[in-house]
Amino acid sequence: MTLARYEIFRSIVETGGFFKAANELGLTQSAVSHAISSLESEFGFTLLTRGRSGVRLTNNGEKMLLHIHQILNSYEQMMQEAAEIEGVKTGIVRIGTFPSVSINWLPKIIKEFKQHYPHIEVKLLEGDYDDINRWILNGTVDFGFLSLPAENVFDAVPLKRDRILCVMSNQHPLSNQKAITFEQLKEAQLIMPKTNIDKDVRDILKENNITPSIDYEMEEDQAIIAMVQNNLGISILPELILYRLPEDIRIRNLEKEYYRTIGMAVQSLEKAAPATRAFMETVQGWIERKYV
């Protein structure tokens, strides 16, 4: 069946390999390889290349993946609506998320969602803002969490204004101040995230004509916290990242209040599948109760 081959192709791209896709789909690796060979024969060109670093899409494979996402998403939406007519909610929700949302929000939201919709499967893809924007645009995910406004023209639902704060060791000379000025930031040694999750922070620095002296750039939020704890510099981070901090870390306001707006973005709320709408409604309800 062509849809089955499309699902195998998508799974290989999402998991990064034939073996992982086979395990996820409950197939043999031989069956997965045969499905891709059959698709490539049908299309007349190569979709995937294998190397030491794993499986990669060819340029033609990227073009076909966009259409395959659309076909599979339409099929899943049709089946969800058919199940809804019958009074049974089923389906899959694919969500693009970034670490602080994955850690602080999603475990409790998914738990609540599964209590109401036990037959809907939830899949998470974690990345940075650029990844999530791209995944929403090409249909890899049904919706994603982003810092709003989004780069592309999506339907967006604002959820929470997340304060941007300064963090430092209790040994740092600025730790006794109530607020940190931008003049002081010009002289400070900063520890910044490598990914574009820090775009909100860089926008603040740019607005205040600060060219930061960045001593360290780290991939992980908790690695930044560890560097700060050892008094190797200070960092500017969204409040949602600042959970379970060590006792010797201090949080200070900036001299002006800044926020990032965390929200959900989807290609079209009107055209979203029933399972997607149900999950987004669950998120909204949970956020409203938590932050009232």
Side-chain angles (χ1 to χ4, degrees), residues 49-63:
T49 59
R50 303 193 208 192
R52 291 184 178 179
S53 58
V55 175
R56 296 184 64 182
L57 281 166
T58 63
N59 289 337
N60 289 329
E62 287 184 3
K63 294 174 183 176

Side-chain angles (χ1 to χ4, degrees), residues 136-184:
I136 298 170
L137 194 62
N138 67 23
T140 300
V141 298
D142 299 301
F143 80 94
F145 292 92
L146 286 171
S147 177
L148 302 180
E151 291 181 12
N152 295 291
V153 182
F154 299 135
D155 285 345
V157 180
L159 294 173
K160 185 184 186 307
R161 295 178 76 212
D162 192 26
R163 285 193 303 166
I164 307 293
L165 299 166
C166 196
V167 291
M168 64 199 69
S169 162
N170 62 356
Q171 301 299 314
H172 195 278
L174 300 178
S175 64
N176 292 322
Q177 296 186 191
K178 290 184 178 180
I180 308 302
T181 69
F182 293 111
E183 283 299 317
Q184 289 171 325

Side-chain angles (χ1 to χ4, degrees), residues 14-212:
E14 288 179 354
T15 61
F18 282 64
F19 179 74
K20 290 180 180 178
N23 284 343
E24 181 178 88
L25 297 172
L27 300 171
T28 65
Q29 193 168 347
S30 174
V32 168
S33 296
H34 177 75
I36 297 303
S37 296
S38 175
L39 266 184
E40 290 177 332
S41 295
E42 181 179 325
F43 289 144
F45 48 76
T46 302
L47 297 170
L48 299 164
T49 59
R50 303 193 208 192
R52 291 184 178 179
S53 58
V55 175
R56 296 184 64 182
L57 281 166
T58 63
N59 289 337
N60 289 329
E62 287 184 3
K63 294 174 183 176
M64 293 301 101
L65 180 62
L66 180 61
H67 296 294
I68 285 171
H69 276 314
Q70 293 172 346
I71 292 168
L72 290 175
N73 290 344
S74 293
Y75 176 76
E76 288 169 5
Q77 183 171 352
M78 179 184 71
M79 297 307 295
Q80 288 176 30
E81 289 179 354
E84 193 172 38
I85 291 169
E86 291 295 315
V88 179
K89 289 194 178 285
T90 64
I92 300 173
V93 184
R94 293 180 174 84
I95 302 165
T97 179
F98 50 90
S100 53
V101 167
S102 302
I103 293 168
N104 290 291
W105 290 359
L106 284 178
K108 293 179 181 178
I109 291 172
I110 292 172
K111 180 180 179 181
E112 178 179 318
F113 180 76
K114 296 296 281 186
Q115 289 171 348
H116 295 285
Y117 305 100
H119 302 295
I120 296 179
E121 184 180 354
V122 178
K123 291 189 174 184
L124 304 179
L125 274 74
E126 194 171 84
D128 60 29
Y129 297 154
D130 285 341
D131 293 329
I132 298 166
N133 263 289
R134 185 175 65 255
W135 293 337
I136 298 170
L137 194 62
N138 67 23
T140 300
V141 298
D142 299 301
F143 80 94
F145 292 92
L146 286 171
S147 177
L148 302 180
E151 291 181 12
N152 295 291
V153 182
F154 299 135
D155 285 345
V157 180
L159 294 173
K160 185 184 186 307
R161 295 178 76 212
D162 192 26
R163 285 193 303 166
I164 307 293
L165 299 166
C166 196
V167 291
M168 64 199 69
S169 162
N170 62 356
Q171 301 299 314
H172 195 278
L174 300 178
S175 64
N176 292 322
Q177 296 186 191
K178 290 184 178 180
I180 308 302
T181 69
F182 293 111
E183 283 299 317
Q184 289 171 325
L185 287 178
K186 288 181 181 179
E187 306 299 326
Q189 296 172 307
L190 292 184
I191 303 169
M192 299 284 282
K194 275 188 178 180
T195 67
N196 80 339
I197 292 296
D198 74 329
K199 181 178 182 298
D200 308 280
V201 174
R202 293 185 186 272
D203 287 345
I204 292 170
L205 296 176
K206 184 178 179 181
E207 179 183 325
N208 290 277
N209 299 313
I210 297 172
T211 303

Side-chain angles (χ1 to χ4, degrees), residues 99-100 104 162 193 197 221-222 225 237-245 260:
S100 53
N104 290 291
D162 192 26
I197 292 296
D221 298 336
Q222 292 309 302
I225 298 299
L237 296 168
E239 189 171 18
L240 196 62
I241 290 174
L242 306 177
Y243 57 92
R244 298 178 184 171
L245 290 178
R260 67 172 176 175

